[in-house]
Structure formats: structure tokens, C-alpha cells
Amino acid sequence: MSRDSMAARSFSAAKHLWISNGLPASALSRLNLPPNANQSPNSSFRIGDAAQSSIGLAGLSAAHFHSLRTQIEQDVSVNARHAVLEFHSEGWYTLDGQLPGSVWDSIAGIYETRDGYVRIHTNFPHHRRGILNILEIPDSADVTRDQVQKSLRQWAAEDFESAAAGRGMCATAFRTFEQWTAHPQALALSQTPPVQIIKIGDAPRREGGGSFHHPLEGVRVLDLSRVLAGPICGRTLAAHGADVLLVTSPHLPDLPTLDVDTSRGKRTTQLDLNLEADRGKLKSLAADSDVFLQAYRPGGLEAKGFGADNLAELRPGIVIANLRAWGWDGPWKDRRAFDSLVQTATGFNETEGACFAEYSKSAFKPRPLPVQALDHAAGYLLAFGINAALCKTMTEGGSWEVRVSLAAVGRWLRSLGNLSPDDAFGPGTRPLPPQTVPSQREIADLSIGWVSADRKQKMTALKHAAILSKTPVREGEASQAPIVLNAHSAEWL
């Protein structure tokens, strides 16, 4: 495959989403997505194209917002290999010279059932307890994968999926693409684009003018998200200059291995929304915000008075960004899920496994993607949607809601096509480098040093892959890494 055709494919993916969301085609002339013949991270899916185009869209939309404010135009470039590596940013950072631990619980993963396979997600303690309770296995640190496997072999995959969903737990049955395409939830999403931007209220147009060192300077973002996709979105907005305040609950479990990476560039605080006083603080913050980003379970924040309609009434002109696993329609719209579960349910693990089995001449086994591609792509596409909506607040006025779901992003990734077994896993590929200290040369050359908010800890992390020609991203010593989730007070700068 020629380098020109590779570049054209990434650009075509970006162009379609850019134009379909009402942004001017003329701005695309400033997007440079150079090809890289060795971008494949050992996957049958075009993860390189997804990474380069989604990160490019986030960068170009930030640059376009900046041009609307200042009349200054600039070019945006994204190296394909760098973009692929950024789709695994949580694996490359070091904190005080140490690598991050595993993000996975010891029993999380894919298991055989009596009629197929199922994947369970147990990274949060309450999800682990809930899954083990269904399996009638007492929760303890000594639970083994063999115990879980023995119990799951007594279940039909879809029966266990339903049992888990009925208790608010996280598990999905293994399906092929063909099986998923015929599923009621897939049918409900069949016409849903990966990014939806919906006008939800009237407001005057946002005024331009002024001088800004970064495209999103002066934009206030409330980030109420967890795990990967939402936090990656917030981190991207912070890299382009937004004041991002990450708000978490002191009572909910966290995932420090991910939080350290995804909170870079943000400020962090904690509020207990079960308390009237803290709900009042969040309402006050929202009234002075430009963007409200949330990725909690469907209905969770709405029940606290922070639904899209509430926020648009409170702060006309706001952009509300919502992330869900399964979208806003269909029988699964209120179910919890994570990237790995969506992969399994929608056919990615089957296709990846079949491709690898054909290449290696080995027996079939379900195979996960080499990176959390749905989460990362969703995060950058959500940032793109937010920036596009901010542009609309300047050109049209109004309050806007941006919607992104992991399932719809999966459909988009699937639409980019597949690689042959040799192109996916053969000698011409370039697998992800191993995690080492000191870092492998490729990672070290693309990393930058950070200092914690209290100035006591040092970290290295992968640089942002989008390069803007006139407004460099805010990262490293030009920013800060909070490290902890309560490093700042609940107030705007």
C-alpha cells in the first residue's frame, strides 16, 4: 500500500467528520496528516488511521476556534506513529522513575462459557464484588482466574451478560460482527454518527477579539469524568489552553494508574454531590463555566440536577459534552460498559482473533485490541465535538450538547476497514515497544518531563501528538501534573 493512499485514508476519515459537523471545508487545507508505513501496532484494524484522524480533528478544531477569536490561522500536523503511541499514553509515563502498575484487576478479562465466551470488567472493587456474587464466589484477594473460569463454564454467555446487567455490573457476551449487526442495540445505533452536536437552547453569540497564547485560553471546563475516554478529552482541552477543573467524588473508587496520566494539565478537586452544600458549589462553578463534560452512568448527574436542560438554563451558551457506552437509543442505552466490554460485545475480539489465527496458523482465541482504541478515539472525538460546538457559539450562538458513545465510535473504527493478516501481524509491522525504565528510545524521544502540583514529584509522559504551528500545546513544565484528585480548591482561576 502506498504512503499516499495511507495519508489519503486518514485525511478522508477526518474530512468526513469535519464537514458533517458543519465546519468549513476550507479549514481542512491546514490539516497535515503525513503517512507512516510502519504505524501498525499489530492489529487487523486501522488503529493508526483512527488515531491520526481523531487527534488531528481535536487539534484542527482547537485551531479553528482560535482563528474565529483572533483571525490568526495556523497549520496542524499529526505524525501517524506518534498518534498510535498516544493511543496508549497510560502505558508510557513514569512517576518518580517508576512505571505505572497494571490497570487490570487480577480476574478481569475473557472467559469461556458453556456456549462461547464472556468478558468481565472488575477494575472497580464494587464491580468485582458484584460479579463474584453472581458467580457465588466469596470475594477475597485469593480468588483465582481458575475459580472464575470454572463457575463461568456453567453459564450461557448471554444469560450471564443479562444477569450482570440486571445487577448493574459490567460483563458482555462475545459476538461476531454479524451477530452484533443483527442485535437490537446495533440496529438502534445504525444511523448514529460517532459525534453528534445538537443545539439545545438559545443564547447570544460568543464574542471574539483579544490575544491568546493557546487556542482555548480563557475557556473554563468542568470535567466530571472517569477512567479513560472522558478524562482524555479533558486532558486534550487542557493541552490547548483550557482551564480544566476535574471534579471527582471523595467516596467513589479511583484508578490511580489512569488518573495520573489523564489528569495532566488539569486542576483537581473533590465534591460530594450527596451534600447540598457541594451541589451548590458545583452549580456555582457550572454557572461560570463554558463546557460541562460528564461521563458518569446514564441518569446519574441528571438526578442531581445537572442534566443538559438544567445546565443550559443555568448558563445559556454552555457546551455540554456527554459520553456513554451504548448511546442514547436502544435497549442497552442505560447499561454500564467500558472499552474492553464494547470490543467483546460488538465483534472486535472475534475479528482480531480470527485474523491472528490465520496469520499464526494457530487455534482461534478471542483477541483484544492492542490498545484501548475505542476509549482513546472517543476522547479525542469528544474534544473535537466540544471545540466544534464552541465554534458554533461564536458563529451561531446558542447552547449545545455534544454526544459520543463508545459503540458508535466502534462502528466508525470498523468503517475504516481492515488489514490483511500479513499487514496486521507480519514482519513489516511495528508493534508497540515494551514498557521499560529507562524508556525505550522511541518513547523517550517523544516524552516530556512534568512536575506535580505540590512540586514534590516528577513524571515523564508522552507529548501530545497534534502540533499546532503558532500555538504550542501547554504541557510539561509549562503546565502541571496534579497526581492526586484533590490537589486544588473548587474554584475558577
Side-chain angles (χ1 to χ4, degrees):
M1 181 176 296
S2 72
R3 289 168 60 86
D4 287 344
S5 65
M6 293 168 62
R9 191 174 51 246
S10 288
F11 186 84
S12 177
K15 178 181 178 180
H16 174 74
L17 291 179
W18 183 267
I19 293 176
S20 65
N21 281 289
L23 296 171
S26 58
L28 288 164
S29 64
R30 296 193 170 275
L31 179 61
N32 181 26
L33 302 179
N36 185 316
N38 294 315
Q39 62 176 278
S40 173
N42 281 171
S43 174
S44 62
F45 293 93
R46 299 188 185 278
I47 293 175
D49 294 329
Q52 191 179 34
S53 58
S54 61
I55 294 173
L57 284 167
L60 184 64
S61 56
H64 184 58
F65 179 65
H66 183 252
S67 72
L68 291 175
R69 301 170 91 187
T70 65
Q71 308 306 306
I72 297 173
E73 296 186 341
Q74 58 184 317
D75 297 329
V76 177
S77 179
V78 182
N79 176 275
R81 177 63 176 179
H82 190 168
V84 166
L85 295 174
E86 193 168 3
F87 260 37
H88 190 53
S89 63
E90 67 275 12
W92 309 126
Y93 77 84
T94 65
L95 182 61
D96 292 333
Q98 301 296 313
L99 287 169
S102 174
V103 302
W104 297 104
D105 178 62
S106 62
I107 63 169
I110 298 175
Y111 292 87
E112 293 181 13
T113 62
R114 70 168 184 249
D115 62 348
Y117 301 90
V118 71
R119 180 161 194 138
I120 61 174
H121 194 285
T122 55
N123 288 357
F124 287 119
H126 62 296
H127 289 164
R128 176 187 167 104
R129 287 192 300 271
I131 290 292
L132 290 176
N133 187 49
I134 297 171
L135 296 175
E136 299 182 344
I137 299 173
D139 187 13
S140 75
D142 299 326
V143 174
T144 66
R145 296 184 66 86
D146 286 343
Q147 287 176 275
V148 175
Q149 179 61 89
K150 181 179 179 181
S151 182
L152 278 169
R153 282 202 178 99
Q154 310 306 310
W155 285 81
E158 291 192 16
D159 288 347
F160 187 79
E161 176 184 74
S162 296
R167 299 194 191 186
M169 296 297 110
C170 298
T172 51
F174 170 91
R175 293 176 177 83
T176 65
F177 274 145
E178 291 73 19
Q179 290 170 329
W180 173 248
T181 300
H183 190 278
Q185 186 60 33
L187 295 173
L189 293 173
S190 62
Q191 302 301 314
T192 302
V195 181
Q196 295 175 280
I197 304 175
I198 305 163
K199 188 174 184 180
I200 60 171
D202 295 324
R205 288 192 297 176
R206 184 186 183 108
E207 295 183 1
S211 177
F212 304 97
H213 296 292
H214 304 283
L216 302 183
E217 185 176 336
V219 173
R220 291 172 167 175
V221 179
L222 276 175
D223 181 354
L224 283 83
S225 65
R226 307 169 74 201
V227 191
L228 267 180
I232 286 168
C233 171
R235 184 184 69 191
T236 304
L237 300 177
H240 291 303
D243 178 14
V244 180
L245 184 61
L246 173 62
V247 181
T248 56
S249 168
H251 302 304
L252 291 178
D254 56 12
L255 294 171
T257 298
L258 298 180
D259 296 335
V260 169
D261 177 57
T262 59
S263 65
R264 286 183 283 126
K266 306 176 186 179
R267 295 182 300 118
T268 64
T269 195
Q270 293 192 315
L271 295 173
D272 182 356
L273 298 187
N274 292 316
L275 301 177
E276 184 177 353
D278 280 9
R279 289 196 300 274
K281 288 181 182 179
L282 184 62
K283 185 175 181 180
S284 178
L285 289 167
D288 290 326
S289 68
D290 299 288
V291 177
F292 190 99
L293 162 63
Q294 82 89 22
Y296 282 84
R297 61 178 174 80
L301 287 176
E302 287 89 340
K304 304 291 186 183
F306 296 98
D309 291 340
N310 305 118
L311 292 165
E313 182 178 356
L314 174 68
R315 201 297 200 186
I318 197 170
V319 172
I320 299 119
N322 282 311
L323 176 77
R324 289 190 179 185
W326 302 110
W328 280 257
D329 299 296
W332 284 13
K333 63 184 176 65
D334 293 327
R335 286 193 181 186
R336 297 174 173 90
F338 300 92
D339 176 306
S340 57
L341 300 180
V342 177
Q343 284 187 40
T344 300
T346 62
F348 283 95
N349 294 166
E350 190 277 335
T351 299
E352 193 85 314
C355 185
F356 183 74
E358 181 178 346
Y359 170 76
S360 62
K361 312 301 181 188
S362 59
F364 170 82
K365 290 173 54 178
R367 184 180 177 91
L369 300 179
V371 296
Q372 300 289 284
L374 306 187
D375 262 335
H376 281 267
Y380 293 111
L381 290 177
L382 192 58
F384 158 64
I386 290 169
N387 292 336
L390 286 171
C391 291
K392 292 178 184 294
T393 66
M394 295 198 67
T395 59
E396 303 177 34
S399 301
W400 298 83
E401 182 181 6
V402 181
R403 293 179 174 182
V404 171
S405 72
L406 298 182
V409 169
R411 285 184 65 249
W412 174 71
L413 175 58
R414 181 181 170 185
S415 76
L416 300 180
N418 294 86
L419 299 172
S420 70
D422 281 343
D423 287 339
F425 301 106
T429 62
R430 194 175 176 188
L432 297 178
Q435 295 170 267
T436 60
V437 173
S439 299
Q440 297 290 302
R441 179 64 180 271
E442 181 180 28
I443 299 302
D445 287 348
L446 292 174
S447 294
I448 190 171
W450 293 73
V451 179
S452 64
D454 62 7
R455 316 300 293 178
K456 294 180 179 180
Q457 293 180 282
K458 294 182 178 181
M459 72 179 293
T460 63
L462 210 66
K463 296 176 184 177
H464 194 52
I467 306 300
L468 279 61
S469 61
K470 296 181 180 178
T471 56
V473 296
R474 190 178 65 186
E475 59 186 349
E477 293 187 3
S479 187
Q480 65 173 1
I483 307 299
V484 296
L485 295 179
N486 59 347
H488 304 88
S489 58
E491 60 185 3
W492 294 116
L493 294 176

